[in-house]
Every structure is written in C-alpha cells, then in structure tokens.
Amino acid sequence: MFISKILSKRGQVSMEIGILIFAVIIVSTIASYYYITNYIDSNSDAPREAANKTINALNNASIKYSNSIQ
C-alpha cells in the first residue's frame, strides 16, 4: 500500500520523496557550514599566542625574582 502511494503508475516520484530529498540537502548544507566554521575557528593561532604570552610573562617574572635574590 505504502509503495503504491510513493510511486505512481507512470514511474514518477511523488512530491513527498522530493520534499524529503530537499530537506536532506538543506540539513546537510547547514551542518557542513557549521562544521567548517567551527573547524576554522578552532585552528586559529589565538591559543598558541596566549600560551606563548603566558610563558614569556612567567619567564620574565622568574628572572626578575631570581636576580633580586642574588
């Protein structure tokens, strides 16, 4: 019964299948857009730069305090 509703006798695909395929395309496009934008944002140089600034600040502080002890 259900198959006969999906396919007509002339071999045409019904509107429900077309809408389903269209929805799948839209959802996959939106998901890929968010995946790509999150991937680009996560691979930025900001975390590396923040870590280097912290390391440099701690090195400068340790050098300053070790020089004051001598």
Side-chain angles (χ1 to χ4, degrees), residues 29-49:
T29 303
I30 292 170
S32 64
Y33 170 76
Y34 282 112
Y35 177 76
I36 290 170
T37 55
N38 287 333
Y39 178 77
I40 290 171
D41 291 342
S42 68
N43 287 331
S44 66
D45 290 334
R48 185 180 319 130
E49 291 174 6

Side-chain angles (χ1 to χ4, degrees), residues 5-47:
K5 290 182 181 180
I6 292 176
L7 299 174
S8 70
K9 295 183 183 199
R10 291 184 243 158
Q12 296 173 340
V13 177
S14 68
M15 185 183 291
E16 290 85 9
I17 298 270
I19 292 172
L20 181 65
I21 291 172
F22 180 72
V24 167
I25 291 170
I26 294 297
V27 168
S28 64
T29 303
I30 292 170
S32 64
Y33 170 76
Y34 282 112
Y35 177 76
I36 290 170
T37 55
N38 287 333
Y39 178 77
I40 290 171
D41 291 342
S42 68
N43 287 331
S44 66
D45 290 334

